[in-house]
Amino acid sequence: MEIEHIRNQFPILDEKVHGRPLVYLDNAATTQKPLRVIEAVSGYYKTLNANIHRGAHHLAAVATERYEAVRRQVQQLIGARHSHEIVFTRGTTEGINLVASSFARRYFSGDGDEVIVSGMEHHSNIVPWQLAGARLRPIPFSDSGVLDLEAYGHLFSDKTRLVAVNHVSNTLGTVNPVRQMVDIAHAHGVPVLVDGAQAISHLAVDVQALGCDFYCFSGHKMYAPMGVGVMYGREELLDQMPPYQGGGEMISEVTFERTTYNQLPFKFEAGTPSVGDVIGLGEAIAFMQEVGLDAIAAHEEALLRHATDALLQLPGIRLFGTAPQKTSVLSFLIGDAHPYDVGTLLDQLGIAVRTGHHCTQPVMDRYGIPGTVRASFALYNTPAEVDTFATALEKVSAMLM
Ligand code: PLP
């Protein structure tokens, strides 16, 4: 993996912030986009824009073919059995809301339905289940950020309808043992939804090897545009579930008395989708595959190790999330300094990190802290940037402590 060649493909990395070269370490929030993705989207609007699936004309036919080709690309990327198990959404949040709403209508009894979640979920894998009427049973985790699988096994009851767990924690970086968790859930006859928002750009994901029933992720966290994402669902379940939204494209026949629904995946894709962004997603997948998921994982792991070692040299540093299996997220506090102050001072030095609860308030409650500073790495980050970050933190920490 030739890092300069990769960086040259991301125009934003040449930007200056407060007169300094941008060091972008907020990749868990959103990744930057390579030029080829930006050009795929603008190329669509320049030469191809048409509404898909319903036109008899040339542009509509080509746009439809390009859109459906990306569905097959996603199928191949995550190892789904069928392309009609891939549903395009606006992102992870919409994917989980889709499943929560539709699954609950089909499988909840309305009498104390329970969903097991991990204690380290993003709010978007908590609130949709509460809206669907579930009582949540959280899996506890250790100080280092490892789920307690024994406790997990004890959470199942005859009210358990689903397990919803993230593949990778956005706050702690922990890679959860999804395959093992799926086996335990399936032994109880309970399906599993995996929130893959933080996994998809860091790990090779194979939904059949994982054995999960649903897998959701966002394009914008994997070098693709904002406003597009994927919900994978196993055909057997999706076939049983009612539509999430009603409108064009999701129907087979409509009368004022009765409507019948379209086949998968269109049953779950009401209205005009974000076609240009789906095409951008296809380009981002091609980009990631050309670099190679194994090469990306190895590069990011080296950055994480380098950054962890550098931060541990700083006086008063506390790391949150030190699981043996983790991806490129570093959450920390320095002494009593408020995370927001640390983030603001780093920004003055051109370094973009995230501060706060990272949409995981229960994680903050678990540690009894209001928030953390989070640095997160992507394939275009360099060891030199990590050094700049560590030196800047040293300065910031001297100012605040
Ligand atoms: N789940 C996890 C683990 C996340 O990190 C995020 C975003 O940060 C989401 C879900 C929500 O993703 P989106 O806002 O793209 O829908």
Side-chain angles (χ1 to χ4, degrees):
M1 191 170 122
E2 224 270 79
I3 192 73
E4 271 318 305
H5 172 64
I6 286 178
R7 287 182 68 84
N8 287 340
Q9 299 179 57
F10 288 82
I12 207 168
L13 298 179
D14 293 332
E15 289 296 306
K16 292 225 167 14
V17 170
H18 304 304
R20 302 193 183 234
L22 167 68
V23 176
Y24 185 78
L25 302 179
D26 193 18
N27 295 287
T30 198
T31 55
Q32 300 301 346
K33 322 302 173 200
L35 191 58
R36 60 191 275 182
V37 167
I38 298 166
E39 285 179 345
V41 177
S42 69
Y44 164 78
Y45 284 109
K46 280 183 197 155
T47 64
L48 208 58
N49 180 49
N51 209 331
I52 55 169
H53 290 141
R54 14 189 153 177
H57 60 84
H58 173 77
L59 288 184
V62 179
T64 302
E65 175 41 40
R66 294 278 303 276
Y67 179 86
E68 290 304 325
V70 179
R71 203 188 302 279
R72 294 191 292 277
Q73 256 182 298
V74 174
Q75 175 201 359
Q76 186 263 337
L77 176 75
I78 64 170
R81 194 169 285 123
H82 308 291
S83 65
H84 57 253
E85 295 178 316
I86 306 301
V87 173
F88 289 119
T89 63
R90 281 194 301 123
T92 311
T93 303
E94 189 179 54
I96 299 174
N97 275 277
L98 185 168
V99 177
S101 159
S102 171
F103 184 90
R105 273 191 286 146
R106 174 67 181 80
Y107 294 107
F108 280 17
S109 66
D111 180 23
D113 304 288
E114 293 178 359
V115 171
I116 297 175
V117 293
S118 86
M120 57 179 83
E121 292 311 310
H122 190 279
H123 297 163
S124 61
N125 204 16
I126 297 175
V127 185
W129 306 109
Q130 292 171 328
L131 288 173
R135 171 175 176 238
L136 294 182
R137 308 293 314 275
I139 312 163
F141 59 90
S142 70
D143 286 347
S144 62
V146 176
L147 289 180
D148 179 343
L149 289 194
E150 202 184 317
Y152 167 59
H154 293 307
L155 291 175
F156 289 86
S157 76
D158 59 358
K159 305 265 189 210
T160 312
R161 304 286 173 251
L162 193 91
V163 172
V165 64
N166 57 33
H167 197 169
V168 171
S169 156
N170 64 310
T171 301
L172 304 175
T174 309
V175 181
N176 287 313
V178 167
R179 172 75 233 193
Q180 215 180 330
M181 296 176 77
V182 167
D183 286 345
I184 294 169
H186 285 180
H188 287 88
V190 173
V192 179
L193 172 139
V194 180
D195 168 353
Q198 294 296 340
I200 195 71
S201 71
H202 303 291
L203 311 172
V205 170
D206 182 327
V207 290
Q208 287 190 71
L210 291 173
C212 60
D213 302 277
F214 302 100
Y215 196 98
C216 301
F217 54 93
S218 303
H220 72 93
K221 293 184 196 285
M222 53 185 293
Y223 313 104
M226 291 189 174
V228 61
V230 168
M231 186 279 288
Y232 155 82
R234 254 189 334 108
E235 179 182 35
E236 296 75 9
L237 283 162
L238 293 184
D239 267 341
Q240 297 299 315
M241 288 162 47
Y244 170 53
Q245 293 180 327
E249 204 53 46
M250 50 73 71
I251 52 88
S252 173
E253 221 178 296
V254 177
T255 66
F256 286 114
E257 287 71 40
R258 190 171 164 286
T259 292
T260 52
Y261 305 126
N262 203 342
Q263 62 199 21
L264 291 176
F266 310 112
K267 181 171 88 172
F268 291 109
E269 290 183 3
T272 301
S274 195
V275 181
D277 294 325
V278 167
I279 287 168
L281 173 65
E283 197 61 36
I285 292 173
F287 165 73
M288 277 175 36
Q289 290 181 324
E290 281 169 33
V291 179
L293 282 156
D294 290 342
I296 295 174
H299 174 73
E300 292 176 348
E301 197 183 323
L303 288 176
L304 179 68
R305 239 180 295 125
H306 182 54
T308 306
D309 291 347
L311 257 61
L312 285 174
Q313 306 300 315
L314 298 174
I317 194 95
R318 276 192 292 163
L319 292 185
F320 298 89
T322 51
Q325 302 294 325
K326 70 175 282 195
T327 58
S328 47
V329 166
L330 258 184
S331 269
F332 62 92
L333 288 174
I334 315 180
D336 293 331
H338 195 283
Y340 185 76
D341 294 338
V342 176
T344 307
L345 288 170
L346 287 175
D347 177 58
Q348 292 303 311
L349 299 168
I351 300 168
V353 293
R354 189 142 294 244
T355 64
H357 54 60
H358 317 299
C359 299
T360 56
Q361 284 184 357
V363 175
M364 302 304 135
D365 293 345
R366 159 73 177 74
Y367 290 110
I369 52 174
T372 70
V373 184
R374 183 186 71 184
S376 50
F377 308 103
L379 87 175
Y380 39 65
N381 290 124
T382 65
E385 286 183 313
V386 170
D387 292 337
T388 306
F389 167 57
T391 309
L393 259 185
E394 213 171 327
K395 272 192 212 155
V396 166
S397 124
M399 285 168 75
L400 292 175
M401 297 208 328

